[in-house]
Amino acid sequence: MFRTALRNVLAHKGRLLMTMLAVLLGTAFVAGTLIFSDSIGQSVKDSVSDSYSRISAQVTDTAVSADTDSGAGQNTGARSPLTESTVRRIAALPGTRSARGTVTGFAGLSDPHGNLIGSRGNTQGANWVPYANGQDPEYPMAQGAGPTSAGMIAIDRRTASDNDFKVGDTVRAAVNGPVLEMTVTGIFTTDDPQVKAGGSLVLFDTATAQRLYLEPGQYDSIQVVATPGTSQNELRGEILPIVPHSGNITVKTGARLDADIAARARSDMSGMRNVLLAFAGIALFVGVFLIANTFTMLIAQRTRELALLRAIGASRRQITNSVLLEALLVGVSASVAGLVTGIGIGAALQGLMGSMGSHVSTSTLVVSPTTVLVTLLTGTMVTALATLLPALRASRVAPVAAMRSIDIPATHKSLVVRNGIGVALAGVGLALVLWGAVRGGSAGNLLVAGGAVSTLVGVFALTPALSRPAIALAGPLCTWLFGISGTLARQNAVRNPRRTAATASALTVGITLISVLTVLGASVTHAIDKQVTQNMRADYAVSALLSLPVAPTLLPAIARIPGVAAYSALDDQRLRTGGKDLPVTGVDAKSFDQLIVPNMVSGSTMALRRGQILVDQDHVVNDNWTVGTTVPVTYPDGSSGRLTVGGVYQNSEVLGSVLMSRSVLSPHTTAPFYSTVLVKGVNGAAAPLQQALKDSTGDNPLINVRTKQQMRDHFSSQINLLLDAMYALLAMAVIIATLGVVNTLAMAVLERKREIGTLRAVGLPRSAVRRMVRLEAVLIASFGAALGIAIGSFLAWAGVRLLSSAMTGLTTVFPYAQLAAYIAGAALVGLLAALWPARRAAKLNVLDSIRTD
């Protein structure tokens, strides 16, 4: 039986080619993902392994460090207990060789064309700390010297090379205030991990860095080097008693810092790896339909052969094992090829990162034993599982079938059982989805997820029953447009509903997911667009990139612009109430009604002028706040107070959850955090006013000035970017589904060789044969796409219902033109997939085909 299985694989290698290709693509996706994530993780680990080699211990103020890492600490007056006196006390310890205070934060640097360098937020600033010899060992100067006063800056060598910066050049830099014109005094080398990963680093003198990021005399961390003979843990023990006792102060050894960065890199990569593996799983799931369909057709074509084996004594188990062995041979071969292809994909992804500006080392390509094992097992097991039912069906071929036609129609009983299971699963799934959509919350999410799986499985089971009436609807149109070719194509498509269902279902999976994403994306975009339109009267929004705040110094410049009717900075702060954070937005109460229009449920916006707050409906539901409720709060500066609710408005992603007057908020904050400045023009939106607003920022590369339409486009572009990435990942599933159409039609042509020969003998021209095969593919692909759009639209509706509690105004929006385009695209895919099988069918020799056994 082993020799028989091997002979069958070799004899049908052409017919198994598409199956092997599907397994190859799926396993290559898995292998490429694992190799890419492992390689990048190793590259990051290598890049940080020496980052703290010169540091024995580091004292860090985590509160300030977290702010500056996110860009939120710029010019906010953040205070750190790590001062110059702390540095001197640590430097005086017996185990200390040297101690240096550091200040870090985001610094926006313009390239020669005025564009922001490091648009992903990886341009950092730090302080240059010269020792007695005038050099900073952390940042050795390759050219020039370090900055020693305000107006001077040093740039890392890679950034200088990429942007053609030279010593003596004047560059433009911004933290979040006015643009700084700085002179390049030096170009340095560094092994900073962010620079190695493609970021940039600029150095200020210590006093300038402190003024930009903290307060004079303060540091966000202190780096300590131990004396010879003092271990890192011993030094840490000496430091702990003398550092300020605060929950935000940490003391870590250099080894621990290296380990933390490596762990963070692994964590960052795990999310992307899981997403990629999920889409690889979808691709393999689609491949299951192709594999099962291929082996089902092969078994149908080998009915006499299998019956003869049974007649000469082969047992059912031997027949089953023989077919499974064929599948294993195919799966192993395809998985090995997939692993090799996956290595190439991993290397290509590393190269792609380099072309996108990342400088993570691409010299390390990690192919771990785990990757090899997972890839081979995945491909082999998926192939074997997909072949299990065809193998069992093969074992049930009776010996007497050797004397009958090779076609064994499905029994009425098996179809009834399949349809019964499909109706039950689809009914339960639909009920669960509806229940979850109505219930909402985390329980609703689980119900919808479970219902979606049950619905899909049920519909897949019912697809043979659904295919007949669905394709029959297109029958008159096909006959009218294409004559006899259209009639024959429709009859061929419904002749074997199981085969049609398996071929269409592969495409249904991909189109279902694409439809869900499309409807959800359109619904969210419409909701945000509606909120911007309804809640904003302002003509322009001035904001900084990368979630940085707008500097308070820009407000007077905006106020002086002719044509500005009203403006207000939105000050985002966090208060405390009831033991939890309360995000609030401070606004100018006097100009509020000219700029913002909340949909009031109760109360009035005039309450802001009385020092009261406006809250959204979430606080009514979750906290039982109503107009007149008094809320005890703790302000950012530590003072306490009581605020009265003066109005309730509908939830809005644009407005936030609590609005209050800046005149009440500002005296109790340590520093403002202006996320946006809203501006209303005397004559509405006008190009000269927009240009004047840009000019008022000093042409700051960090600042955007957007119209209302540009705000809407900005939100839409973010959603579309995410959708495009999802579509690209789902393309693999669609490609595999297309291979399924090609494989099914190619094998169907061989199966119907005598029939095609007879049609040719009675006068059907070659062009009509080609048209018949192409139309059959178009019908199957269109049916699969239509089914996927129907399921996807229903699941997207349920998803919108679940999200509606978190996003006000979210309603289901069906982009009918786009959904219709998917059906047209699927028809085109079917047409292209049928080109080779149709050409092959038309070239069949009439006499050879008629005498085929």
Side-chain angles (χ1 to χ4, degrees):
M1 295 305 292
F2 174 78
R3 289 194 299 271
T4 300
L6 182 60
R7 179 181 61 80
N8 283 327
V9 171
L10 296 176
H12 299 99
K13 54 182 178 294
R15 305 183 195 184
L16 291 170
L17 179 62
M18 295 299 176
T19 299
M20 296 181 67
L21 189 56
V23 179
L24 184 153
L25 290 174
T27 52
F29 204 157
V30 173
T33 298
L34 294 175
I35 292 170
F36 172 66
S37 59
D38 289 344
S39 300
I40 296 300
Q42 185 62 46
S43 296
V44 174
K45 183 178 179 181
D46 292 343
S47 70
V48 303
S49 60
D50 296 327
S51 299
Y52 297 100
S53 59
R54 292 184 297 274
I55 300 175
S56 303
Q58 179 169 289
V59 184
T60 306
D61 184 347
T62 56
V64 174
S65 177
D67 283 343
T68 54
D69 286 345
S70 64
Q74 320 308 324
N75 265 355
T76 60
R79 300 181 182 278
S80 171
L82 301 180
T83 62
E84 188 63 42
S85 63
T86 312
V87 176
R88 288 195 296 267
R89 288 198 302 270
I90 294 176
L93 292 172
T96 299
R97 179 181 177 182
S98 64
R100 53 176 281 157
T102 63
V103 184
T104 57
F106 174 77
L109 195 65
S110 294
D111 65 15
H113 304 289
N115 299 318
L116 179 66
I117 295 175
S119 58
R120 296 184 302 275
N122 54 3
T123 300
Q124 300 296 311
N127 61 318
W128 190 66
V129 185
Y131 284 16
N133 61 359
Q135 297 295 320
D136 185 345
E138 189 72 18
Y139 306 111
M141 288 293 159
Q143 300 175 36
T148 56
S149 64
M152 295 182 177
I153 197 173
I155 302 175
D156 72 90
R157 184 162 57 184
R158 188 192 59 78
T159 301
S161 175
D162 290 348
N163 296 277
D164 199 26
F165 291 142
K166 298 179 177 60
V167 174
D169 286 352
T170 298
V171 298
R172 303 172 71 249
V175 175
N176 75 324
V179 176
L180 306 173
E181 299 287 342
M182 313 290 285
T183 300
V184 178
T185 62
I187 297 174
F188 61 91
T189 60
T190 178
D191 57 6
D192 183 278
Q194 282 194 308
V195 175
K196 286 185 176 181
S200 301
L201 181 65
V202 297
L203 300 179
F204 306 96
D205 66 284
T206 298
T208 300
Q210 289 173 333
R211 176 173 55 83
L212 291 173
Y213 299 125
L214 297 169
E215 292 289 338
Q218 296 180 355
Y219 301 98
D220 55 42
S221 66
I222 301 173
Q223 297 175 346
V224 189
V225 178
T227 57
T230 302
S231 69
Q232 292 186 355
N233 287 327
E234 290 173 343
L235 178 61
R236 179 177 181 274
E238 293 182 9
I239 294 173
L240 282 173
I242 66 170
V243 297
H245 297 288
S246 168
N248 296 325
I249 302 298
T250 63
V251 182
K252 295 183 178 180
T253 63
R256 175 63 185 275
L257 291 169
D258 272 339
D260 287 348
I261 291 181
R264 188 187 307 169
R266 289 193 299 269
S267 176
D268 292 342
M269 287 301 303
S270 65
M272 181 175 66
R273 180 174 62 181
N274 291 338
V275 170
L276 292 175
L277 286 176
F279 282 94
I282 293 171
L284 285 170
F285 179 69
V286 171
V288 167
F289 292 96
L290 193 162
I291 298 166
N293 209 22
T294 300
F295 276 91
T296 298
M297 295 180 72
L298 282 175
I299 288 167
Q301 294 171 12
R302 287 161 45 197
T303 301
R304 288 187 178 182
E305 175 188 329
L306 295 173
L308 285 173
L309 288 173
R310 293 279 287 116
I312 62 175
S315 66
R316 287 188 173 183
R317 175 176 293 182
Q318 287 178 311
I319 297 295
T320 301
N321 291 340
S322 174
V323 176
L324 288 176
L325 186 56
E326 292 179 41
L328 290 175
L329 291 172
V330 171
V332 170
S333 302
S335 299
V336 171
L339 177 63
V340 175
T341 306
I343 295 174
I345 291 175
L349 288 174
Q350 281 188 306
L352 180 62
M353 286 189 66
S355 67
M356 294 173 62
S358 175
H359 290 259
V360 174
S361 172
T362 57
S363 59
T364 303
L365 193 67
V366 179
V367 184
S368 67
T370 301
T371 297
V372 175
L373 184 62
V374 167
T375 302
L376 296 180
L377 283 179
T378 298
T380 304
M381 294 303 295
V382 165
T383 307
L385 290 174
T387 317
L388 183 59
L389 286 178
L392 292 174
R393 193 175 296 122
S395 69
R396 293 171 183 162
V397 175
V400 73
M403 305 174 189
R404 295 204 306 254
S405 169
I406 63 172
D407 294 323
I408 302 179
T411 64
H412 178 72
K413 179 180 178 181
S414 66
L415 291 175
V416 169
V417 171
R418 176 171 178 157
N419 290 340
I421 294 174
V423 169
L425 289 174
V428 170
L430 292 173
L432 288 175
V433 170
L434 292 172
W435 184 17
V438 172
R439 181 170 181 177
S442 57
N445 293 338
L446 293 175
L447 289 171
V448 169
V453 173
S454 180
T455 299
L456 280 172
V457 175
V459 170
F460 290 155
L462 285 172
T463 303
L466 295 173
S467 63
R468 285 183 178 273
I471 295 178
L473 290 175
L477 181 63
C478 288
T479 301
W480 180 62
L481 291 175
F482 304 103
I484 188 63
S485 295
T487 301
L488 291 172
R490 179 186 60 80
Q491 292 174 350
N492 288 334
V494 299
R495 175 188 299 180
N496 191 328
R498 289 186 180 217
R499 182 182 304 167
T500 298
T503 306
S505 294
L507 195 57
T508 297
V509 175
I511 299 297
T512 295
L513 296 174
I514 291 174
S515 299
V516 169
L517 293 175
T518 299
V519 175
L520 285 176
S523 301
V524 172
T525 300
H526 177 266
I528 294 178
D529 181 83
K530 185 178 178 181
Q531 288 182 17
V532 171
T533 302
Q534 291 184 349
N535 296 149
M536 301 289 288
R537 281 183 178 161
D539 296 314
Y540 296 100
V542 181
S543 59
L545 297 173
L546 311 170
S547 301
L548 293 166
V550 176
T553 54
L554 293 179
L555 297 183
I558 292 174
R560 290 192 298 267
I561 297 175
V564 173
Y567 72 95
S568 174
L570 305 185
D571 188 5
D572 291 345
Q573 299 286 342
R574 286 187 177 273
L575 282 57
R576 296 282 295 176
T577 181
K580 59 183 180 181
D581 285 340
L582 177 66
V584 301
T585 300
V587 298
D588 183 353
K590 294 181 180 180
S591 60
F592 179 82
D593 289 330
Q594 299 180 64
L595 302 168
I596 301 174
V597 190
N599 295 320
M600 300 302 296
V601 176
S602 60
S604 169
T605 58
M606 294 299 295
L608 291 173
R609 300 192 181 192
R610 298 192 296 268
Q612 298 176 336
I613 61 175
L614 305 180
V615 302
D616 66 14
Q617 288 178 300
D618 277 348
H619 288 293
V620 176
V621 175
N622 300 328
D623 303 315
N624 295 320
W625 293 358
T626 59
V627 174
T629 300
T630 300
V631 182
V633 297
T634 301
Y635 290 102
D637 65 353
S639 62
S640 299
R642 301 184 72 84
L643 297 173
T644 301
V645 177
V648 178
Y649 56 90
Q650 290 182 1
N651 293 352
S652 172
E653 303 299 316
V654 175
L655 301 182
S657 63
V658 178
L659 300 173
M660 64 185 299
S661 173
R662 279 210 324 270
S663 62
V664 177
L665 178 63
S666 297
H668 303 290
T669 61
T670 56
F673 189 96
Y674 295 150
S675 59
T676 306
V677 180
L678 300 179
V679 180
K680 179 75 173 176
V682 173
N683 299 316
L689 177 57
Q690 185 173 14
Q691 186 59 50
L693 289 170
K694 290 181 179 179
D695 293 342
S696 70
T697 69
D699 200 19
N700 192 323
L702 294 177
I703 301 298
N704 274 330
V705 179
R706 294 191 179 101
T707 64
K708 186 183 295 186
Q709 182 60 48
Q710 288 170 336
M711 283 189 279
R712 294 155 65 182
D713 293 342
H714 172 66
F715 288 123
S716 298
S717 65
Q718 291 178 317
I719 296 172
N720 291 334
L721 182 63
L722 177 62
L723 291 178
D724 290 344
M726 296 289 189
Y727 293 151
L729 292 172
L730 285 172
M732 183 65 73
V734 176
I735 291 173
I736 293 177
T738 303
L739 294 177
V741 177
V742 175
N743 204 35
T744 299
L745 290 176
M747 296 182 71
V749 167
L750 292 175
E751 188 178 89
R752 300 201 296 259
K753 192 174 181 181
R754 175 181 291 179
E755 174 188 320
I756 293 172
T758 302
L759 290 172
R760 291 277 293 113
V762 298
L764 192 68
R766 293 180 187 273
S767 61
V769 173
R770 287 195 295 268
R771 192 179 305 118
M772 174 187 70
V773 176
R774 293 169 187 167
L775 285 175
E776 181 181 352
V778 169
L779 287 172
I780 293 173
S782 300
F783 166 66
L787 194 60
I789 288 173
I791 299 172
S793 298
F794 172 68
L795 296 180
W797 168 84
V800 168
R801 285 294 302 264
L802 291 175
L803 292 173
S804 61
S805 60
M807 180 178 290
T808 301
L810 182 63
T811 56
T812 307
V813 175
F814 295 104
Y816 296 106
Q818 196 169 351
L819 296 176
Y822 292 155
I823 297 180
L828 179 60
V829 166
L831 181 63
L832 295 175
L835 291 179
W836 176 65
R839 181 181 177 85
R840 187 176 185 184
K843 286 188 172 182
L844 289 176
N845 182 278
V846 176
L847 295 178
D848 289 343
S849 301
I850 291 175
R851 67 169 180 261
T852 296
D853 291 331

